[in-house]
């Protein structure tokens, strides 16, 4: 079977995203910014131009990390925070939140170092990630920010997939459709 692609322009750059089966009836366009610094930088600049005032950026591990890094670098090498998929030995303690992602078949948890949580207390926090779909990762990160005493001032994504583009509480650069098993947009 040959691979089908969805072509789109993101932050002024043309990309072809491979269609990946999610189940027997539904496919998603695979969007990965790992290894694409040109796209990462272009998206970071566009999102920063739309960002509200904030103190720290946070993202969920893993695909949002290059975006958070580049946004923080462009904004003046500010520290950014990462909600990790697993607690690490170097963490001083952990906050945790559960989630179920559209691209993962089991319940996952996100963990935040208590030292990072302390930095967020009373601060304006900007949540960023590559794609929002069902919003489960977003909800888990929001929960971690609130547990830490931070204030979510913005939720920004490169792409909003499927019905996520109808949300009025997020900012994103482009809509990403879902596809039927034949590769037709739905």
């Amino acid at each position: 079977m040959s691979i089908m692609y969805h072509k789109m322009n993101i932050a002024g750059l043309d990309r072809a995203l491979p269609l990946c089966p999610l189940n027997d009836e539904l496919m998603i366009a695979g969007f990965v910014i790992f290894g694409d610094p040109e796209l990462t930088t272009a998206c970071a600049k566009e999102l920063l131009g739309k960002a509200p005032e904030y103190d720290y950026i946070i993202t969920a591990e893993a695909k949002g990390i290059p975006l958070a890094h580049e946004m923080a670098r462009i904004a003046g090498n500010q520290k950014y925070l990462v909600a990790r998929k697993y607690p690490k030995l170097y963490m001083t303690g952990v906050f945790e939140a559960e989630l179920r992602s559209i691209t993962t078949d089991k319940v996952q948890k996100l963990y935040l170092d208590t030292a990072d949580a302390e930095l967020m207390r009373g601060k304006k926090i900007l949540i960023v990630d590559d794609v929002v779909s069902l919003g489960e990762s977003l909800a888990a990160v929001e929960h971690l920010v609130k547990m830490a005493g931070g204030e979510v001032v913005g939720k920004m994504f490169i792409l909003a997939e499927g019905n996520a583009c109808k949300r009025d509480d997020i900012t994103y650069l482009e809509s990403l459709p879902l596809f039927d098993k034949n590769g037709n947009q739905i």
Side-chain angles (χ1 to χ4, degrees), residues 80-97:
Y80 64 92
L81 310 168
V82 178
R84 306 295 303 260
K85 290 182 179 179
Y86 302 99
K88 302 295 181 183
L89 293 175
Y90 57 78
M91 290 179 158
T92 59
V94 294
F95 285 67
E96 68 178 64

Side-chain angles (χ1 to χ4, degrees), residues 51-152:
E53 184 179 320
Y54 66 92
D55 296 306
Y56 294 107
I57 290 172
I58 188 170
T59 192
E61 189 176 34
K63 291 192 311 182
I65 294 172
L67 178 64
H69 178 90
E70 188 64 4
M71 288 176 72
R73 187 191 68 77
I74 292 169
N77 291 315
Q78 301 172 6
K79 179 176 179 62
Y80 64 92
L81 310 168
V82 178
R84 306 295 303 260
K85 290 182 179 179
Y86 302 99
K88 302 295 181 183
L89 293 175
Y90 57 78
M91 290 179 158
T92 59
V94 294
F95 285 67
E96 68 178 64
E98 285 190 359
L99 70 116
R100 181 176 290 278
S101 169
I102 190 172
T103 56
T104 307
D105 62 356
K106 62 183 178 185
V107 173
Q108 295 179 297
K109 291 186 178 185
L110 288 179
Y111 300 90
L112 183 65
D113 189 320
T114 53
D116 287 344
E118 188 58 37
L119 285 175
M120 286 194 292
R121 186 181 321 280
K123 300 292 185 185
K124 297 175 184 174
I125 307 301
L126 180 63
I127 298 172
V128 303
D129 212 340
D130 61 335
V131 179
V132 61
S133 188
L134 299 177
E136 293 290 329
S137 297
L138 171 59
V141 174
E142 279 186 280
H143 181 67
L144 289 172
V145 171
K146 290 175 184 173
M147 285 175 51
E151 174 193 358
V152 175

Side-chain angles (χ1 to χ4, degrees), residues 9-57:
N9 187 283
I10 307 164
L13 300 171
D14 291 327
R15 293 296 184 266
L17 310 181
L19 298 188
C20 310
L22 195 58
N23 56 43
D24 290 340
E25 299 298 320
L26 187 65
M27 292 199 294
I28 60 172
F31 178 70
V32 181
I33 60 174
F34 287 140
D36 193 342
E38 178 185 37
L39 183 61
T40 304
T41 299
C43 291
K45 287 178 181 176
E46 275 205 37
L47 287 171
L48 281 170
K50 300 171 184 255
E53 184 179 320
Y54 66 92
D55 296 306
Y56 294 107
I57 290 172

